[in-house]
Amino acid sequence: MSLRVATVEPTTSEDAWDETENDSPDAVASLGRALTTQLDKGGGGLPPPRVSEPDADGIVTIVDYYVNDEGYVVQRTRRVRRRLERRRVCAAVAERRRCWRKFGVAATENANTTTQANEDIPIEWNTRNTEVSDDEESGEAVPSLGAAPSSASGGGGGGSGSGEDLMTNKSIVVCRICGRVGDHWTLRCPYKGLQGAADGLGLPGSAASTAPDGILGATGAVGAPSAGSGGSMAASATSSGATRYVPPSMRSGASARLREGDSLYGRREENSIRISNLTEGATEDDLRQLLEPFGRVVRIYLARDKYTGAPKGFAFAAFAERSAAERCIAKLNGFGYDHLILSVEWARPSGDRANAASSVNPGA
Amino acid sequence: MRPLLLKGHERPLTQLKFNPEGDLLFTTAKDTRPTVWWASTGERLGTYDGHTGAVWSCDVFWDSTRLLTGSADNTARLWDVQTGRELFRWSLRSSVRSVGVAPGCRLMHLANSKLLGQESCIHLFRLKSDGNWQEQETEPFLVLRGHTATITGVVWYNTAEYMLSVSEDGTVRKWDVETGKEVDRAKRHKKAITDIKFSKDHQMFLTGSADGTAVLWDTHAMQEIRSFVLDRPLNAVDLSPLMPHAVVGGGQEASQVTTTAGKAGKFAATFLHLIYGEEIFSVKGHFGPINCLSFTPDGRGFASGGEDGYVRLHHFDEEYYRRSSEI
């Protein structure tokens, strides 16, 4: 008797549309881990499926048997959480959902053809907007991802795009982030990601027109001192007057910094903080927004429930600099966030926690 | 987002279609089995077995009772959606590349490939929708000729007065359904046009091309409103019914795919803002070029089908609405 155990990836929980349906096990999308154990080959009739009572978490264990392609009888154990979700739909949809049965290949299939992605697929927001406008002005033919607005009349091509016209008239284009009039769309604001930092650092809002040079100049200054070891990319970036944002990886000295990056993993442990008493609705994105004003955030980990994926109410975050973490703790500990009061402290390595627990126990 | 992965097809996907209510998703692939899925859970509802060649295209009737599919076995077939039973079969002289039912379900079109010495043209048929579905006319009442290369997409205007077709010859043509005459023509793309989709109100349409451009057009003037330049050949486009967004997808041709292309992000579904003309975000996931894209009819999600045989069904997070409104 050969024994083989395969792990089937957890899939989505069922959105049941009606209380009366989905009583048959095969209509239930499984949630959690399912173990497939291969039993003896051949054999007579299949044992009947067993369905356990729901446990404390509402998880039902279903054990059933089927014959696979190689003629083996396979025992399949699935842990399923059934969740009833009520939705208002139009009558035709409800009728279909209630009455239609599977047909074709779907009626006989055993394997899960549908799974849910294990990891979160993030929406990758596009942030490279400032360069595009510069290039358009200087008339370079850049195969940018953005569009070249063209006139609908068909006759006029060239640079007389509708957006540009609006900007030169200085009429209605007001950036909602930095407040400049007629310079750029809100979408293209160079301070889009810096809003929190700007608030925290007290940049003068009224003198916004001078701010860009200040900030962009600063990035140039960061790059300049370590110049010399950098590649030609970095050299050209600094020589072009530091008017453009240069990503850290392309700045001079980037290679040296990348080498430091190897030790980043070891270093960030000590700059980690633990944030507890978070609301269930908080996401990584929210946390990033909350923490970024204090300094560069290297890592954010939001603890989630293994089965439901709902946040557990605490998170870890690591800053690049210790001072930033200190400031964050000083500021955010006891800070009211959503409807709860945050507790922020230094994260202890897991080893320490275990020691602490064992040292407490004898005393108690 | 945690998309649902629908792994029912063994070959590259060719088309995705939601029914009007958005609860069913129909997929066709280069295997012989058009498939229908529950769109809310991604569960496979059934397959339509009978074709003997790659299935290129499908369309579902407004009441979700009948499905029309077109295949490289030179047939188009009519199916009962609920049971998967074949009701009727039309035969053409080369593979059926595009099928569609006109609004009102009285007319339908089949477009064939330029293959086997056949000209690529659109065949218009009358549908007998009152009584017996199994007795249909086998001969078209009109044949629309003009494209010099294979027609890749045909869409009906919402009054069924005229239709638009795109082709590998790079042209968009507007046809009068009454007379069968070509009433307008526009050429903007340098290479084959691969997809065409109407906006919800049919006043604009979007075309995507292998030259890496997507163009938004005014339906009545047949003139370009905006064009988008991307860094890869496009295979699929769609317009959101909810937001001023479009989604485009593609990638290098299957024969030229290298192992680095996936990392370079060429297989992502890219979202464009129609008003700002900007790329707003992208969603990765496929291991091969994206062949077909479709927003759900309510605009709260989208599905993508790839050369890798997967359909990925995404439901947007709250973040999508929040950040879209901030733009």
Side-chain angles (χ1 to χ4, degrees):
Chain A
M1 170 175 158
S2 61
L3 191 74
R4 196 175 61 188
V5 178
T7 308
V8 178
E9 293 305 323
T11 62
T12 177
S13 62
E14 171 82 353
D15 293 337
W17 293 49
D18 190 298
E19 280 177 299
T20 58
E21 67 171 6
N22 291 335
D23 285 338
S24 61
D26 66 347
V28 178
S30 64
L31 169 83
R33 300 217 167 260
L35 290 178
T36 309
T37 315
Q38 195 158 343
L39 298 177
D40 287 320
K41 194 166 188 171
L46 296 173
R50 294 195 305 272
V51 181
S52 75
E53 290 297 309
D55 67 4
D57 291 331
I59 295 174
V60 178
T61 307
I62 301 170
V63 182
D64 59 355
Y65 303 88
Y66 66 93
V67 182
N68 70 1
D69 295 341
E70 294 158 28
Y72 287 96
V73 177
V74 175
Q75 174 191 319
R76 175 170 52 181
T77 308
R78 286 178 291 177
R79 301 187 67 219
V80 174
R81 184 203 301 260
R82 290 187 188 177
R83 192 184 64 204
L84 186 69
E85 189 176 305
R86 286 177 187 278
R87 246 184 251 179
R88 292 188 79 88
V89 293
C90 75
V93 174
E95 180 70 16
R96 278 200 283 273
R97 188 72 215 195
R98 191 172 298 124
C99 302
W100 285 20
R101 293 287 162 260
K102 291 184 172 185
F103 60 91
V105 176
T108 53
E109 68 189 342
N110 279 313
N112 277 332
T113 48
T114 302
T115 52
Q116 188 161 26
N118 286 330
E119 76 276 29
D120 190 62
I121 307 289
I123 292 181
E124 295 177 10
W125 296 87
N126 189 35
T127 48
R128 51 175 296 282
N129 295 316
T130 49
E131 282 179 62
V132 177
S133 56
D134 287 348
D135 293 338
E136 274 170 13
E137 280 161 22
S138 60
E140 284 172 42
V142 172
S144 66
L145 295 177
S150 75
S151 57
S153 61
S160 64
S162 52
E164 298 289 327
D165 287 344
L166 285 176
M167 288 186 195
T168 46
N169 287 343
K170 291 196 175 180
S171 52
I172 54 166
V173 183
V174 181
C175 175
R176 272 182 278 145
I177 292 174
C178 69
R180 298 177 86 187
V181 180
D183 186 63
H184 50 253
W185 297 99
T186 303
L187 185 72
R188 291 181 169 182
C189 180
Y191 316 110
K192 212 169 176 185
L194 298 171
Q195 191 180 19
D199 291 347
L201 298 170
L203 282 181
S206 56
S209 57
T210 60
D213 305 319
I215 289 177
L216 294 174
T219 58
V222 169
S226 49
S229 64
S232 60
M233 270 295 226
S236 69
T238 44
S239 66
S240 70
T243 50
R244 233 172 250 183
Y245 174 73
V246 181
S249 60
M250 287 194 177
R251 284 179 205 156
S252 52
S255 55
R257 224 167 296 146
L258 282 180
R259 258 180 273 118
E260 276 177 36
D262 296 340
S263 62
L264 211 60
Y265 183 81
R267 266 197 312 166
R268 73 184 180 195
E269 279 264 294
E270 63 199 47
N271 299 338
S272 290
I273 56 166
R274 181 194 153 99
I275 307 162
S276 36
N277 211 21
L278 278 167
T279 58
E280 277 224 343
T283 64
E284 273 98 346
D285 226 38
D286 296 335
L287 283 176
R288 193 165 284 279
Q289 221 169 17
L290 180 72
L291 299 177
E292 227 141 44
F294 298 100
R296 196 160 71 82
V297 182
V298 183
R299 174 188 74 118
I300 286 182
Y301 171 77
L302 180 64
R304 288 176 182 280
D305 186 276
K306 200 163 88 181
Y307 294 120
T308 63
K312 279 176 150 178
F314 66 93
F316 293 96
F319 285 94
E321 287 125 31
R322 195 172 173 84
S323 58
E326 276 165 2
R327 261 182 289 136
C328 175
I329 291 174
K331 183 87 182 165
L332 285 190
N333 195 15
F335 181 76
Y337 190 65
D338 223 350
H339 61 282
L340 295 173
I341 297 192
L342 295 182
S343 152
V344 183
E345 58 189 356
W346 291 108
R348 282 169 297 178
S350 49
D352 277 13
R353 259 200 305 277
N355 291 341
S358 62
S359 65
V360 166
N361 278 341
Chain B
M1 289 186 293
R2 290 182 62 202
L4 295 166
L5 313 182
L6 318 185
K7 181 73 185 102
H9 289 291
E10 286 145 16
R11 298 287 317 279
L13 273 287
T14 52
Q15 202 181 8
L16 301 168
K17 201 106 193 176
F18 284 97
N19 69 336
E21 287 91 6
D23 63 323
L24 299 177
L25 171 63
F26 297 89
T27 59
T28 62
K30 290 181 184 171
D31 57 20
T32 58
R33 220 167 246 161
T35 302
V36 59
W37 313 78
W38 290 118
S40 60
T41 60
E43 206 182 327
R44 181 152 72 172
L45 171 61
T47 56
Y48 302 92
D49 302 340
H51 276 297
T52 55
V55 184
W56 280 110
S57 175
C58 69
D59 199 9
V60 61
F61 284 42
W62 69 277
D63 57 358
S64 306
T65 56
R66 303 283 176 265
L67 178 74
L68 189 63
T69 59
S71 160
D73 63 5
N74 298 2
T75 65
R77 303 185 195 211
L78 186 68
W79 309 86
D80 182 48
V81 168
Q82 184 179 353
T83 60
R85 195 162 54 96
E86 184 182 326
L87 298 173
F88 193 76
R89 189 183 300 183
W90 292 266
S91 289
L92 296 182
R93 290 196 184 82
S94 71
S95 69
V96 183
R97 187 59 193 258
S98 166
V99 300
V101 181
C105 295
R106 295 296 178 92
L107 303 174
M108 55 171 265
H109 80 264
L110 307 177
N112 65 319
S113 297
K114 187 179 169 158
L115 266 180
L116 309 169
Q118 295 295 313
E119 192 188 346
S120 184
C121 40
I122 304 169
H123 305 255
L124 292 175
F125 293 82
R126 289 209 167 79
L127 269 171
K128 286 188 196 159
S129 54
D130 43 354
N132 195 346
W133 286 91
Q134 287 163 340
E135 289 171 13
Q136 300 289 344
E137 293 171 10
T138 54
E139 291 302 316
F141 69 92
L142 262 183
V143 179
L144 314 180
R145 297 171 199 277
H147 277 296
T148 55
T150 295
I151 293 165
T152 49
V154 181
V155 285
W156 288 82
Y157 188 65
N158 54 6
T159 55
E161 285 169 302
Y162 55 87
M163 58 204 305
L164 296 169
S165 63
V166 294
S167 154
E168 287 175 3
D169 62 16
T171 58
V172 186
R173 296 177 198 228
K174 187 192 273 183
W175 307 87
D176 186 316
V177 176
E178 286 284 319
T179 63
K181 294 274 191 312
E182 181 186 322
V183 290
D184 211 340
R185 178 196 304 188
K187 187 163 177 7
R188 168 69 178 70
H189 294 289
K190 294 183 185 70
K191 288 187 185 168
I193 303 180
T194 46
D195 200 5
I196 177 169
K197 294 278 171 63
F198 266 124
S199 64
K200 193 183 181 187
D201 59 5
H202 287 60
Q203 302 308 304
M204 302 185 292
F205 64 93
L206 185 70
T207 56
S209 165
D211 67 5
T213 57
V215 175
L216 186 69
W217 304 76
D218 182 311
T219 305
H220 300 285
M222 286 285 278
Q223 272 168 353
E224 176 187 329
I225 299 171
R226 206 174 261 293
S227 72
F228 305 86
V229 183
L230 288 107
D231 55 350
R232 56 190 180 272
L234 298 182
N235 293 335
V237 298
D238 199 11
L239 287 165
S240 170
L242 186 66
M243 302 274 193
H245 294 171
V247 60
V248 299
Q252 288 162 296
E253 279 169 40
S255 58
Q256 296 169 2
V257 167
T258 63
T259 49
T260 55
K263 282 178 194 154
K266 308 279 170 141
F267 301 149
T270 301
F271 285 73
L272 307 168
H273 200 290
L274 299 182
I275 296 169
Y276 296 116
E278 293 268 350
E279 183 184 331
I280 35 182
F281 63 87
S282 58
V283 176
K284 283 185 188 157
H286 280 288
F287 299 112
I290 290 176
N291 284 347
C292 37
L293 284 166
S294 179
F295 277 101
T296 57
D298 61 4
R300 295 182 173 274
F302 75 100
S304 58
E307 191 78 14
D308 54 8
Y310 277 94
V311 177
R312 296 172 74 93
L313 183 56
H314 307 73
H315 296 98
F316 288 124
D317 289 338
E318 189 266 330
E319 182 197 2
Y320 170 71
Y321 309 102
R322 184 163 46 79
R323 286 200 61 169
S324 296
S325 64
E326 281 171 10
I327 287 173

